[in-house]
Amino acid sequence: MNETVLPMRRGIISKGLSQAFLANSETKGAIMTGKNQYVVRRGDGWGVRGEGNSRLTASYDTQREAIERGREIARNQGSELRIQGSDAKFREAWSYGNDPFPPEG
């Protein structure tokens, strides 16, 4: 199984890992419980989209507004927020679940 590992603000996570995975003694609960949220460019504005959804959850004029709403949703769901830059590349990701790969140090 080939998986791409993406660098994260807080640790690393395999591309495509989005839903809860089985609890064990180390994690003491689900890692991700809700859908990952994506802040994406939409025409002249920005939007928030849940993973796997074809439609936007919400639309905004600015990226900042979309990030604020996406962060709220991700925190409430214990999931991840991924932010797309103006160049259409995802520039950062924030994990609000139980992080299985916390940063060292």
Side-chain angles (χ1 to χ4, degrees):
M1 175 184 218
N2 278 342
E3 290 190 31
T4 305
V5 176
L6 303 173
M8 303 284 294
R9 273 279 188 220
R10 299 187 61 227
I12 58 172
I13 193 164
S14 295
K15 183 178 182 180
L17 178 64
S18 61
Q19 297 300 314
F21 83 41
L22 299 176
N24 65 34
S25 60
E26 288 182 29
T27 60
K28 294 183 175 47
I31 291 174
M32 300 287 175
T33 57
K35 288 184 176 182
N36 289 339
Q37 301 298 311
Y38 295 84
V39 172
V40 295
R41 186 96 172 137
R42 179 71 172 192
D44 290 337
W46 295 87
V48 178
R49 181 186 327 243
E51 186 167 343
N53 294 350
S54 58
R55 293 175 26 171
L56 294 177
T57 303
S59 296
Y60 298 94
D61 292 330
T62 67
Q63 186 184 43
R64 178 179 298 221
E65 292 171 310
I67 291 171
E68 288 173 7
R69 181 62 181 134
R71 192 169 279 153
E72 283 177 21
I73 295 169
R75 280 184 180 144
N76 288 337
Q77 293 187 4
S79 62
E80 185 177 294
L81 174 66
R82 293 186 178 189
I83 302 168
Q84 185 180 51
S86 299
D87 60 358
K89 294 180 183 177
F90 285 93
R91 60 183 174 95
E92 61 186 299
W94 294 84
S95 176
Y96 295 99
N98 210 1
D99 194 345
F101 304 105
E104 294 182 22

